[in-house]
Amino acid sequence: LLGLNFTKLENAEVWHNDVSMYQVDDWLSGDTLGYFYLDLHPRDGKFAHAAVFGLQLGSLGKDGTRDKAVRAMVCNFPRPTEDKPALLTHKQVKTFFHEFGHVMHG
């Protein structure tokens, strides 16, 4: 997608077991451009809306080194159960893609 590879990082350090972390690499060069967290399901005490939070700005230094961007996408979508998948409404799908657009701009 968009010349990028997305890789879920297993055993990443996260703030809750529901959260997953992904690495974003340039498809052609293989260079790592940044990372993002997905925190998609509701829980007690969690931010109650959908948003993307910038945790670290990405930038290219004068010497050519890259500070990698880090974002956290926080939403409150339904959780799947053992016998039933989590189905999103049309509005929730639009919210997911809207918020993920903010991740991509990071």
Side-chain angles (χ1 to χ4, degrees):
L1 178 68
L2 304 173
L4 303 171
N5 285 327
F6 301 91
T7 305
K8 183 177 181 179
L9 300 179
E10 302 299 331
N11 303 314
E13 189 173 336
V14 294
W15 55 91
H16 191 274
N17 289 339
D18 286 347
V19 178
S20 54
M21 184 180 187
Y22 294 82
Q23 179 175 310
V24 182
D25 297 325
D26 181 272
W27 181 73
L28 289 176
S29 70
D31 292 343
T32 298
L33 304 176
Y35 302 90
F36 65 92
Y37 295 92
L38 291 181
D39 188 353
L40 299 179
H41 305 296
R43 62 180 174 275
D44 288 342
K46 182 181 169 187
F47 183 72
H49 304 285
V52 171
F53 299 98
L55 305 178
Q56 177 175 299
L57 293 175
S59 64
L60 189 59
K62 290 180 183 179
D63 62 356
T65 59
R66 177 178 293 279
D67 288 332
K68 293 164 182 59
V70 182
R71 299 286 182 262
M73 183 169 144
V74 177
C75 299
N76 290 284
F77 298 132
R79 180 184 308 277
T81 64
E82 277 189 35
D83 59 340
K84 199 168 127 182
L87 301 177
L88 301 180
T89 65
H90 183 258
K91 182 178 178 183
Q92 289 168 328
V93 171
K94 285 175 42 179
T95 297
F96 180 91
F97 282 106
H98 172 90
E99 296 303 334
F100 196 75
H102 294 302
V103 170
M104 296 299 292
H105 283 124

